[in-house]
Amino acid sequence: MKKVIASIALVTLVLAGTTQVAFAAAEESLNIEKAAIKAVENSQPLKTVNQQAEVIQKNYVSLKGQMNQTKYLLPYSNSYSLVKSIILAPLQLKSALEQVNNTQVVVTNAIRMGAYSGYIDLLKADYALNTQSELMNSLYEDYKKARLQKEQGMLTDAQLRLAEIAYEQTRYNYLNAQNSRESAGMALNNMMKEDIAKQYDILQDNNIKPPAQIRSLNEYVQQARMNRAEVLNAQSTLEILEEQYRLGIAEIPTDYEFYKQQQEYEIAKAGDDLELARINVQQNVTDLYAGLTSSMKKMEAMSYLADQAQQSFQAAQIRYDNSEITFIELNKAKVAKAQADINLKNAELDAWLMQATMDSACGAGFQP
């Protein structure tokens, strides 16, 4: 009797645990921003950059305090070098701080774009899996009907075999889609530093809408030239060198001509670096624009083909209901529609990702 009671208790505990796990799993959902936030929070490269920024920030605050104290010595000192240090040193450290802050943003963007790409891959795989699952179930039902029709003498062995092949091919595609989804899930979990085998019952995509239209190339280029980190960093370096030159000339160095030539060379080089940064940014945005326009055209084409496949399937369904075609011909229309739907979904997700990439490229950038 005690063994029976113990067994009942054990079963009860197992069922209770299973229910809790199922309930928790049912609540487990993921969206693209959550994935990006987790990837950013757990990125070791970003943590390293953040530590560098903290050190420079502390040094900057400390130096500003020291320079403020040094200002009180000016009435008792006739040193122009002291004046130059009070002005220039904080500016140089501030520039260094701004540049490492820009690096923080760029690295963050790079991690975010990686998570975006990983989530898009997972959405693609998930949509393909669901579509192939529905198609596989439908073709299996058709295959069962075919066997009944064969028993009734309504189908030949060859026709039954075609129905079986269609089902087996779809089942093979389903298994491939299942493997692809698992691989995409593991890759994204790795980015987020989650358990690599963690599963998500709900993948939200309500905020992933392909752009209805895109702006002109010139608009993207102008925005990027104002915001990209490499341009801002080059501009800051040039401004510091110009200020350093202005203060140095005012001090009238003993080696005046040499100093003048050296500083003018450095300023000219910094100016060239700034212009090169702008050119590189323009080229980068131009390349991305080609990809963005291509993705928009592909999405439009896939939308047209999906509509055509839908119409063909509806027509095939009507003809089948009127006994004008066999279910094998109907199955071909089903398969074509399913593939067209997958192609359209992939094109829409690619277009969204390309627009997100362009938005990032027009901000601080995403290439450390």
Side-chain angles (χ1 to χ4, degrees), residues 104-350:
Q104 279 181 301
V105 177
V106 173
V107 173
T108 299
N109 288 347
I111 297 164
R112 179 175 292 277
M113 291 309 304
Y116 280 178
S117 180
Y119 192 81
I120 291 298
D121 287 342
L122 181 56
L123 279 182
K124 286 181 179 180
D126 185 70
Y127 185 82
L129 178 63
N130 292 333
T131 302
Q132 293 292 351
S133 176
E134 293 175 3
L135 181 61
M136 179 181 68
N137 292 334
S138 176
L139 292 187
Y140 180 66
E141 292 300 319
D142 289 341
Y143 174 53
K144 289 196 298 184
K145 291 178 184 177
R147 287 190 299 182
L148 290 175
Q149 290 178 347
K150 171 64 175 63
E151 292 173 1
Q152 296 169 0
M154 299 171 62
L155 284 182
T156 65
D157 288 338
Q159 289 174 320
L160 177 61
R161 180 57 180 157
L162 287 175
E164 183 182 10
I165 291 173
Y167 162 67
E168 290 296 340
Q169 181 62 52
T170 304
R171 181 173 174 272
Y172 174 79
N173 293 339
Y174 168 78
L175 294 175
N176 281 341
Q178 196 172 47
N179 291 334
S180 296
R181 190 190 186 284
E182 289 177 0
S183 297
M186 287 190 291
L188 184 59
N189 282 331
N190 186 51
M191 290 184 205
M192 298 187 295
K193 299 298 184 288
E194 292 280 4
D195 179 359
I196 198 169
K198 187 172 182 179
Q199 298 290 321
Y200 304 94
D201 291 306
I202 302 174
L203 296 175
Q204 299 177 9
D205 64 351
N206 54 298
N207 60 337
I208 302 177
K209 305 295 182 185
Q213 59 184 10
I214 59 177
R215 293 184 288 158
S216 69
L217 173 60
N218 185 59
E219 289 177 288
Y220 287 123
V221 168
Q222 293 304 316
Q223 183 181 355
R225 283 166 66 96
M226 290 189 297
N227 297 323
R228 283 286 281 269
E230 53 264 56
V231 174
L232 297 178
N233 291 344
Q235 181 69 51
S236 178
T237 298
L238 176 60
E239 290 172 355
I240 289 296
L241 287 173
E242 289 174 338
E243 182 67 9
Q244 178 178 294
Y245 178 51
R246 186 179 69 82
L247 293 171
I249 287 293
E251 191 177 13
I252 311 178
T254 52
D255 51 349
Y256 181 85
E257 288 300 327
F258 176 75
Y259 175 83
K260 186 172 180 293
Q261 291 177 5
Q262 183 185 43
Q263 292 300 306
E264 287 176 350
Y265 170 78
E266 293 294 333
I267 289 171
K269 183 177 180 301
D272 291 340
D273 290 342
L274 174 58
E275 188 56 32
L276 180 60
R278 288 171 175 160
I279 292 171
N280 288 339
V281 164
Q282 181 170 342
Q283 184 60 54
N284 175 238
V285 172
T286 301
D287 292 341
L288 288 175
Y289 190 76
L292 178 57
T293 54
S294 177
S295 69
M296 293 294 288
K297 290 177 181 178
K298 183 176 180 180
M299 182 177 66
E300 183 180 355
M302 292 301 105
S303 178
Y304 172 78
L305 292 176
D307 288 342
Q308 293 296 307
Q310 173 67 26
Q311 293 174 19
S312 296
F313 171 68
Q314 290 174 342
Q317 184 68 62
I318 293 172
R319 295 184 66 195
Y320 175 74
D321 293 340
N322 292 331
S323 301
E324 296 178 12
I325 61 173
T326 66
F327 72 89
I328 295 173
E329 293 171 295
L330 176 63
N331 285 347
K332 290 181 180 179
K334 282 184 184 178
V335 172
K337 177 184 177 300
Q339 189 58 56
D341 289 343
I342 292 172
N343 291 343
L344 175 57
K345 185 66 172 180
N346 288 348
E348 289 175 343
L349 293 173
D350 286 339

